[in-house]
Every structure is written in C-alpha cells, then in structure tokens.
Amino acid sequence: MCSSDLPSAQADDLREVRRTAIVRAIESQRDSVVNIHGQKLVVGSDDDASGDLRRVNGMGTGVIIDDRGYVVTNYHVVEGVKKIEVTLASGKTVAGRLVSHDPRTDLAVLKIDVEEPLPVIRIGTSSDLMIGETVLALGNAFGYEHTVTRGIVSALHRSVEVTRTQKYEDLIQTDASINPGNSGGPLLNIAGEMIGVNVAVRAGAQGIGFAVPIDRVLGVGTDLRSEEHTSELQSR
C-alpha cells in the first residue's frame, strides 16, 4: 500500500515524518536564493593561446540580503558582465546592476528593482561552526536551478590560492558538492541559517569546496552597501 492509498490523516502524518530538518531548511530559504546569468568576454580558451576574445555564457547564484532587492554574490560571477539577468525563485527574470564589489574577498552586491518586498535569507553565524556538522549548499549548479547538495564542515580557516592573483583567506571547507554555477550561493546549517557564501572548488578534487564565512560576508556587505549609499548622495 502506498501513501496515496492511506486515509488523508495518515498520509499527512507520514508526510510530516518525511519532512526532516534538511527539508524544512530548504523549504524555508529557497525563495531567497536567485540565479544569475549573463555573457562576458574572456581571453582565449584552455587550448588556444592566441589571446583572442571569445564570448561565454556565465552563471552563478545570489542571495537576497535585503527585501528592497539587494543581492550578495561572488564578484567573479558578474565581473565583466554588461547585462546581468537575475531569475527569482518564482521564475521571473529581472535586470540586475552591480552596485559595489570587493575583489579581495570576491564579494559583490547587486540591486534589482522590485515592486514588492522580497524574501530575505535567514542569517546565522560562522563563529561557532563545528567540524563535522551538517551543511547544505543551494545554487545554480551547471545551470540546474536551485540544486541542493548536503555535506559536512570539513575544516575551518582555510587559505586557498585559486590563481596567481586570487587568494582567499579564512574559508570554510566543506564536502557538500559545489559545482560551476554554485558560486555566490548560500551554505546553510541544519537550522536553515546561512553560515557562508560558496566561492570555490579545488580543481581536480572531489568533495572539497569552500565558502566565505557569513560573519565576514556581513561586514563586507555592510561596507559595500554603504559605498553605494554614499555614491547616491554624492550624485544628487
């Protein structure tokens, strides 16, 4: 007998049993995660040393941190993108604009114009993270919108050199699957609180991903929004 054959009360009870902490965490925060798309010009390719520019489709993830339409993401997601498109959980796509960024931490703040307040991510803290605790990554993995993966906190305070010009400090290491397109998305704890922003994976490795701790994101994000406000005042 399947659940659809049971009386409605029993079916509801079984459904509640299946609604684990992970399910509740994703259900509660999913609408505050957006998908980011755009095109950018890059130099050459892996097997082309000509230096010619080519146009590529970029993708990433963002998190709504202010119901007026402010979104935090990774700067490398939107760097060089002239037309930023942001798709909300409802499926509606709107234009986004880069209002400020911090290349040192690879964080950026976007603004999208909205008519109604947007759902905001629930913010946690990264100050009390425990190695081994369950975490969830939510994002636009390989273009598959709102993909959810699960893992644990593998280590804390990692330093990661991605390129000769980009090095990250004090990262959270996780084995939750993080793929191209996850960048800028939230790392959640089991309570559905954002405790980091997914930023990088270790090339050639499996189960090694990194996130910027939320306490650092909040500090940088506040500064970036202050910069935009200052710029608006000066332009008046």
Side-chain angles (χ1 to χ4, degrees), residues 10-72:
Q10 286 183 270
D12 289 343
D13 288 343
L14 285 177
R15 186 173 178 82
E16 284 307 307
V17 171
R18 292 164 48 207
R19 181 167 282 111
T20 63
I22 291 175
V23 174
R24 292 195 299 272
I26 297 302
E27 286 180 340
S28 66
Q29 302 308 307
R30 182 181 183 278
D31 289 350
S32 60
V33 179
V34 302
N35 300 302
I36 300 171
H37 307 267
Q39 288 190 336
K40 65 174 72 176
L41 293 174
V42 299
V43 179
S45 62
D46 293 339
D47 55 359
D48 178 13
S50 65
D52 293 337
L53 292 176
R54 62 188 181 96
R55 189 177 299 276
V56 299
N57 292 317
M59 59 187 174
T61 307
V63 184
I64 301 169
I65 57 171
D66 187 303
D67 63 6
R68 294 171 296 177
Y70 286 96
V71 174
V72 68

Side-chain angles (χ1 to χ4, degrees), residues 63-66 70-74 100 102 104-109 120-127 170 172 186-187 193-197 211-227:
V63 184
I64 301 169
I65 57 171
D66 187 303
Y70 286 96
V71 174
V72 68
T73 187
N74 288 146
S100 51
D102 178 29
R104 181 176 54 86
T105 57
D106 194 21
L107 293 173
V109 172
V120 177
I121 197 82
R122 184 186 304 151
I123 301 295
T125 180
S126 50
S127 63
D170 194 30
I172 303 166
L187 188 68
E193 300 170 326
M194 183 167 72
I195 49 89
V197 170
V212 181
I214 189 60
D215 293 352
R216 190 174 190 190
V217 172
L218 290 177
V220 174
T222 299
D223 292 341
L224 293 180
R225 279 188 289 170
S226 297
E227 287 179 16

Side-chain angles (χ1 to χ4, degrees), residues 96-222:
R97 59 184 175 87
L98 176 64
V99 296
S100 51
H101 66 279
D102 178 29
R104 181 176 54 86
T105 57
D106 194 21
L107 293 173
V109 172
L110 309 181
K111 179 68 169 65
I112 56 178
D113 294 326
V114 293
E115 297 178 354
E116 298 180 353
L118 294 175
V120 177
I121 197 82
R122 184 186 304 151
I123 301 295
T125 180
S126 50
S127 63
D128 62 356
L129 290 178
M130 298 173 285
I131 294 175
E133 72 170 286
T134 300
V135 288
L136 310 168
L138 180 57
N140 189 22
F142 281 110
Y144 295 104
E145 300 177 350
H146 287 88
T147 294
V148 180
T149 57
R150 180 187 68 173
I152 62 171
V153 174
S154 303
L156 300 170
H157 310 299
R158 290 296 200 204
S159 296
V160 180
E161 186 173 344
V162 179
T163 66
R164 287 178 295 178
T165 58
Q166 182 68 60
K167 182 177 181 180
Y168 299 98
E169 301 287 351
D170 194 30
L171 297 184
I172 303 166
Q173 181 182 331
T174 174
D175 71 344
S177 295
I178 297 175
N179 296 287
N182 273 115
S183 293
L187 188 68
L188 305 173
N189 62 20
I190 200 68
E193 300 170 326
M194 183 167 72
I195 49 89
V197 170
N198 298 317
V199 68
V201 295
R202 183 71 178 179
Q206 294 184 351
I208 300 180
F210 300 97
V212 181
I214 189 60
D215 293 352
R216 190 174 190 190
V217 172
L218 290 177
V220 174
T222 299

